[in-house]
Amino acid sequence: MKVYLGKDRTRASQDVTATHATVRDLCRRIEGVGHKLYMDNFFSSLDLFDELMTKNITCCGTVRPNRKGLPDDFRRRQFRLKKGDIRVRVRQNLTALVWKDKRDVYMLTNMHSPPAEGSFCDEHGNAIKPAIVANYNKHMGYVDKADTMANIYSICGRTWKWTNKLFFHLLDLTILNSYILLSSCGAKLSHREFRLALVRNMLEHAGRAPPRPQRPRGRTPAVSSGSFRIEESKQEHWSTSSTSKLRCRVCSTPGKRRTVRIKCVKCDVGLCISGCFQDFHTKPTFR
């Protein structure tokens, strides 16, 4: 697969369109095996079909009538068809046809024999579907059905980030592919039942997981390298105002003289409230 990120001018050349180059690159690993490739009109072109045919890859798909190389009556839409009419143009092994049902359907193929021209309706007047159209609907229907099944229970919601949408889309496809593989083994289970069983199994597995350690809430407390004398003695050392002036025990140690009106209730010594109170109770120098 390749993620489409808009018009890719770097991959296109003068003779090859970007869609042509994309399909060619995606088919490199299946060259020469004999695969059959179905595509819609966004990718199909005569040049692409011819190139893949040389690599033993046959193609079938709807085509836009204005594609380069198609007959002029196709490109100009000159047909005035009634319901059930078929017009066919053949070039070597490549067949282009237009079939009228509710609207004109343009097809291009090199894996089918060209059908007969004419008007084909049943007894009720309904257009009979050509084998090429029926075969295309059958195989492209797998893609349409897969998209429908994946979107019914889509995990992805509306999001501004395309990467989130891509991730959940791939997860949806993974679950769908798992269901298809299980059904191919004979399991009688609906898509809805499969998804419910998947959710139950995931919840059961998550319930057996060991409990995660609970992260502490709030601000992490500051850790000091020294042991606090307050914690060691488990005494109540609180600051309070003094009725008389006291010399700060910490400031006076180096020979300074500083008077304060704050003291420790337990130690009964004068201390500056900014810094000195903590230093006196935590540093062994002042013990």
Side-chain angles (χ1 to χ4, degrees), residues 24 26 36 42 52 55 57 80 87 91 104 110 134 160 165 177 187 190 227 236 245 247 271 277:
R24 181 180 59 191
L26 289 171
K36 296 181 179 180
F42 183 77
L52 294 179
K55 300 172 182 177
I57 301 174
R80 296 293 181 266
R87 297 292 181 268
R91 191 206 67 188
D104 291 349
N110 56 16
W160 289 104
K165 188 172 183 179
N177 288 338
S190 68
S227 59
E236 293 184 353
K245 291 185 178 181
R247 294 181 61 185
L271 295 167
F277 191 91

Side-chain angles (χ1 to χ4, degrees), residues 46 74 108 123 134 138 169 172 181 183 195 197 254 269:
L46 280 76
F74 273 64
L108 191 65
E123 60 273 14
K138 175 185 176 182
H169 176 65
D172 282 327
L181 288 173
S183 300
R195 283 184 173 260
V269 293

Side-chain angles (χ1 to χ4, degrees), residues 9-26:
R9 299 297 184 186
T10 60
R11 300 178 61 82
S13 63
Q14 187 175 1
D15 301 323
V16 177
T17 62
T19 54
H20 184 140
T22 300
V23 176
R24 181 180 59 191
D25 292 346
L26 289 171

Side-chain angles (χ1 to χ4, degrees), residues 91-128:
R91 191 206 67 188
Q92 296 179 354
N93 58 357
L94 194 63
T95 300
L97 68 89
V98 56
W99 169 61
K100 177 73 172 185
D101 187 19
K102 293 181 180 179
R103 58 182 179 83
D104 291 349
V105 179
Y106 294 85
M107 300 290 301
L108 191 65
T109 179
N110 56 16
M111 68 172 71
H112 301 91
S113 300
E117 284 194 340
S119 181
F120 302 94
C121 295
D122 58 18
E123 60 273 14
H124 302 291
N126 299 320
I128 298 176

